[in-house]
Amino acid sequence: MDPRADVVRFVDVQAQIRTLQPAIGDAIQEVIERGDFILGQAVTAFEGEWARYCGVKHAVGVDSGLSAIELALRAARIGEGDEVITQANTFIATVGAVMAVGARPVLVDCDEHGEVDVAAVERAITKRTRAILPVHLYGLIGDIDGVLELAGQAGLRVIEDACQAHGAVYRGRRAGSFGWAAAFSFYPAKNLGAFGDAGMLVTEDDDLAETVRMLRNYGSKVKYQHVAAPLNHRLDTIQAAVLRVKLPHLDSWNDRRQYLADAYREHLSGGPVGLPESTQEGRHVYHLFVVQAPERDAMRAALTAQGIETGVHYPIPLHAQPVLRSLGYPVGTFPNAERIAAHSLSLPMYPELPLSHLGRVAQAITGRGTRRQAA
Ligand SMILES: *Cc1c(COP(=O)(O)O)cnc(C)c1O
């Protein structure tokens, strides 16, 4: 017997791959037969499909989510001496992109739910600010209207970090369709995941799309003529071929995540953990289902002991990361981000998560029997 059969997995990318065979294998085989491994047919096709999915004009395939943010910043000519504002409770890649272009990441606290705090962003604007980088963390689009209004008044670019929000909807529009640019990651465990690293920049702006196509490919539009920084950030054709097979399933996978989130809410209400805010239809695609636990580390250890995998996103807020200490934000600067880092616990969440597993997680947290067992 599989020794892990009893384990409640945090995420199981294999489960999804199994359901899509042999289509994925066939798609990879086609690329092998065509031999167009670099910027091949599947890249162009997937770019078109992803742009249509997001409801934007252009999508440019790149090698990671970080690269998508970095190339947007480069295209905006943001660099040394410039400031870019983002929130202290995000993955390191968000600020990594800002650092990669030599600009200064300016951090602000999130609101009490971990979403963008527009007032905090406004207070952080200086003469040097060039862009705002809101993060749709965990799959939830925060107050993007507020961000857009502020950016419009202050003359700033908005670059959405949509790396956790594939398909999230706000006012009938999809993540990625709000900012001047938006970045997606197709890291394997994301809501839409490749078989390795992959990413995408989306935009309505013709010039931006053209510039990023040039920047991702050694700064060249014409072969062997290099007019910008010679970098390689291309999306692999094989990754694009895999993503093309998966994309038609993304909406139903996100529906399933929302269904599972509702099931968690039902089982966990009145229990010892704080639940994520319930949002209007579609706004949250639950890349992660994150609860707030008073004694997070003890609860996590107890779950582990019962064969339940969990995650923490993220245990150290950015300003406390060793690599960012030089930014000069002492501990205590961002109370919401610090509280969230100390108490967040990410529960198992992936579309194929069996309901029986979800029930086990809920029971382990609340100490109650689930309804199913009571019946
Ligand atoms: C995954 C992720 C990224 C970037 O991911 P890559 O590993 O560079 O593809 C950026 N921001 C957030 C919030 C992410 O979750």
Side-chain angles (χ1 to χ4, degrees):
M1 206 180 111
D2 177 357
R4 308 217 346 124
D6 225 30
V7 171
V8 175
R9 305 282 303 273
F10 177 65
V11 59
D12 183 358
V13 291
Q14 303 299 108
Q16 184 173 87
I17 295 165
R18 279 192 294 272
T19 67
L20 295 178
Q21 292 293 19
I24 290 187
D26 292 349
I28 292 173
Q29 188 58 34
E30 272 176 44
V31 177
I32 293 171
E33 279 161 24
R34 275 201 309 274
D36 60 346
F37 300 108
I38 302 298
L39 297 181
Q41 234 176 66
V43 172
T44 312
F46 181 57
E47 287 175 340
E49 288 156 5
W50 187 250
R52 222 167 304 132
Y53 180 82
C54 295
V56 298
K57 199 161 165 199
H58 303 283
V60 184
V62 293
D63 57 353
S64 72
L66 184 152
S67 298
I69 304 172
E70 178 186 335
L71 296 187
L73 294 167
R74 283 188 191 281
R77 301 193 170 276
I78 292 171
E80 205 116 344
D82 296 328
E83 295 177 353
V84 177
I85 301 172
T86 193
Q87 58 210 64
N89 64 324
T90 178
F91 180 54
I92 191 81
T94 316
V95 300
V98 178
M99 293 163 81
V101 302
R104 179 185 166 83
V106 171
L107 301 178
V108 298
D109 205 2
C110 52
D111 74 6
E112 58 179 325
H113 306 291
E115 298 165 35
V116 62
D117 179 343
V118 178
V121 173
E122 184 169 15
R123 286 194 296 274
I125 294 175
T126 71
K127 287 196 301 289
R128 293 166 179 263
T129 308
R130 299 284 312 281
I132 305 171
L133 245 170
V135 183
H136 308 322
L137 202 70
Y138 308 150
L140 172 64
I141 301 178
D143 181 11
I144 193 71
D145 284 340
V147 172
L148 293 171
E149 194 185 326
L150 176 61
Q153 287 161 2
L156 304 175
R157 304 257 195 224
V158 174
I159 301 171
E160 295 170 65
D161 182 338
C163 289
Q164 299 190 356
H166 314 70
V169 175
Y170 187 86
R171 283 190 289 105
R173 285 165 59 185
R174 284 232 159 95
S177 66
F178 299 97
W180 173 65
F184 289 93
S185 165
F186 303 114
Y187 177 85
K190 305 280 171 153
N191 290 29
L192 182 64
F195 282 5
D197 281 309
M200 191 75 88
L201 173 135
V202 301
T203 183
E204 284 291 305
D205 185 314
D206 299 344
D207 291 338
L208 172 60
E210 194 186 316
T211 302
V212 172
R213 281 183 203 289
M214 182 264 291
L215 289 174
R216 72 174 171 184
N217 191 24
Y218 292 111
S220 105
K221 276 183 212 171
V222 177
K223 204 166 188 182
Y224 303 129
Q225 266 183 45
H226 306 280
V227 296
L231 304 168
N232 176 352
H233 289 298
R234 298 177 300 227
L235 171 62
D236 279 346
T237 308
I238 285 186
Q239 300 303 345
V242 170
L243 290 163
R244 289 193 71 198
V245 177
K246 289 186 163 197
L247 176 56
H249 303 275
L250 177 56
D251 283 340
S252 64
W253 289 333
N254 281 343
D255 287 348
R256 185 68 187 172
R257 287 175 185 270
Q258 286 160 350
Y259 175 84
L260 293 168
D262 287 343
Y264 266 132
R265 275 180 213 291
E266 197 174 309
H267 284 313
L268 294 173
S269 71
V273 296
L275 298 172
E277 242 188 322
S278 112
T279 59
Q280 73 208 56
E281 197 74 42
R283 201 169 140 196
H284 200 328
V285 289
Y286 296 98
H287 171 58
L288 296 166
F289 188 86
V290 180
V291 300
Q292 302 299 313
E295 302 286 337
R296 191 262 317 279
D297 294 337
M299 178 171 281
R300 188 169 195 215
L303 291 171
T304 304
Q306 294 174 63
I308 296 168
E309 296 178 349
T310 55
V312 174
H313 300 86
Y314 296 90
I316 305 171
L318 290 186
H319 60 294
Q321 290 289 353
V323 69
L324 297 178
R325 292 251 171 83
S326 62
L327 292 178
Y329 300 107
V331 171
T333 311
F334 304 123
N336 288 332
E338 289 171 28
R339 185 180 35 77
I340 287 169
H343 297 290
S344 283
L345 182 65
S346 306
L347 303 184
M349 173 57 84
Y350 57 95
E352 301 78 12
L353 177 72
L355 278 176
S356 61
H357 284 198
L358 186 148
R360 269 177 64 191
V361 177
Q363 195 180 2
I365 288 175
T366 60
R368 311 190 277 249
T370 63
R371 203 186 291 153
R372 192 195 186 113
Q373 280 156 323

